[in-house]
Amino acid sequence: EIVLTQSPDTLSVSPGERVILSCRASQSVSSYLAWYLQKPGQGPRLLIYDASNRATGIPARFSGSGSGTDFTLTISSLEPEDSAVYYCQQRSNWPITFGQGTRLEIK
Amino acid sequence: EVQLVESGGGLVKPGGSLRLSCAASEFTFSIYSMSWVRQAPGKGLEWVASISTDSRYIFYADSVRGRFTISRDNAKNLLYLRMDSLRVEDTALFFCTKERAPYSSPSVGSDLWGQGTLVTVSS
């Protein structure tokens, strides 16, 4: 099973700042990595697919990069509505796995 | 509206059974692989099972293999999860999800999620 480790676990950032979230895989997942955000009481929402492609309707301030074992999700200028838990997910090998999540709080 | 709507959750005793359903609307259900993902209270996301467009390929998490069965009815635009021998640790909100890319393309990302149906296993 491929383990995804996200860092940090929690982050508190002011609006307008740049945020970088990390996801590290225990073995290569090529580019088969996705990012989601989840707000309280809601289902997850797809942000990035295949490591670096923004999903439909996702603002340009969100970007993804990386391949192999190291990936990042960058929010170029944080908005108040970006407060959420962010998850990475791999589908390179079965079973599909998710990272433990990074909670992003707005100062 | 493009959506997934889950139903069938509830309170069940350990060892009991439930069948979850997921109704798909306003997209061509038959060309997308589908999955179930669960989230225990206050915890992260856990993948449960996936099924290909024609049901030929089915995969399960080790934690549910042999107890849960995923299936689909493309004529009715429905996804199912039959859950037997339920355990306390199966208590979770169960989400139905749709793959972004059609026809089991080599891509990762679920672009549509339902609101979830809560399964509570308790005596």
Side-chain angles (χ1 to χ4, degrees):
Chain A
E1 171 176 320
I2 295 177
V3 176
L4 299 179
T5 303
Q6 293 185 237
S7 61
D9 288 331
T10 305
L11 194 57
S12 183
V13 182
S14 299
E17 291 190 2
R18 180 183 176 96
V19 174
I20 298 176
L21 307 182
S22 172
C23 177
R24 176 163 291 178
S26 60
Q27 65 188 77
S28 177
V29 300
S30 185
S31 295
Y32 295 120
L33 191 105
W35 290 94
Y36 302 86
L37 68 76
Q38 185 180 29
K39 298 184 179 182
Q42 299 182 16
R45 181 182 182 189
L46 179 66
L47 294 172
I48 300 290
Y49 65 92
D50 298 342
S52 60
N53 299 285
R54 265 191 309 277
T56 301
I58 300 303
R61 65 181 182 274
F62 291 93
S63 63
S65 64
S67 66
T69 60
D70 290 297
F71 300 85
T72 58
L73 174 71
T74 300
I75 308 174
S76 60
S77 179
L78 194 67
E79 298 283 343
E81 62 265 30
D82 299 336
S83 176
V85 179
Y86 290 78
Y87 294 96
C88 56
Q89 176 206 30
Q90 69 81 25
R91 208 184 75 166
S92 173
N93 288 352
W94 300 97
I96 292 172
T97 50
F98 289 90
Q100 82 280 12
T102 290
R103 183 176 301 277
L104 177 58
E105 299 171 348
I106 309 299
K107 283 183 182 176
Chain B
E1 179 185 355
V2 176
Q3 63 179 351
L4 297 169
V5 179
E6 302 95 337
S7 60
L11 175 63
V12 62
K13 288 183 168 53
S17 298
L18 277 177
R19 189 181 81 159
L20 307 184
S21 298
C22 171
S25 304
E26 300 299 327
F27 67 93
T28 309
F29 178 75
S30 63
I31 68 171
Y32 294 96
S33 295
M34 300 292 293
S35 299
W36 290 96
V37 173
R38 68 184 178 182
Q39 187 168 37
K43 301 298 184 182
L45 302 171
E46 180 189 15
W47 169 76
V48 173
S50 295
I51 186 168
S52 64
T53 56
D54 58 2
S55 303
R56 287 183 64 189
Y57 300 101
I58 289 176
F59 300 91
Y60 295 101
D62 286 346
S63 58
V64 307
R65 186 177 293 112
R67 300 187 299 122
F68 290 11
T69 303
I70 188 173
S71 61
R72 65 191 294 163
D73 185 334
N74 287 340
K76 296 181 178 179
N77 292 342
L78 288 168
L79 177 72
Y80 302 104
L81 186 68
R82 169 73 183 188
M83 303 185 296
D84 296 314
S85 303
L86 281 161
R87 305 167 179 168
V88 171
E89 56 265 34
D90 293 319
T91 295
L93 187 63
F94 282 73
F95 294 102
C96 164
T97 80
K98 162 193 167 290
E99 283 301 306
R100 184 197 63 82
Y103 299 115
S104 300
S105 303
S107 175
V108 61
S110 298
D111 66 346
L112 186 63
W113 296 62
Q115 82 289 350
T117 187
L118 183 62
V119 172
T120 303
V121 185
S122 175
S123 55

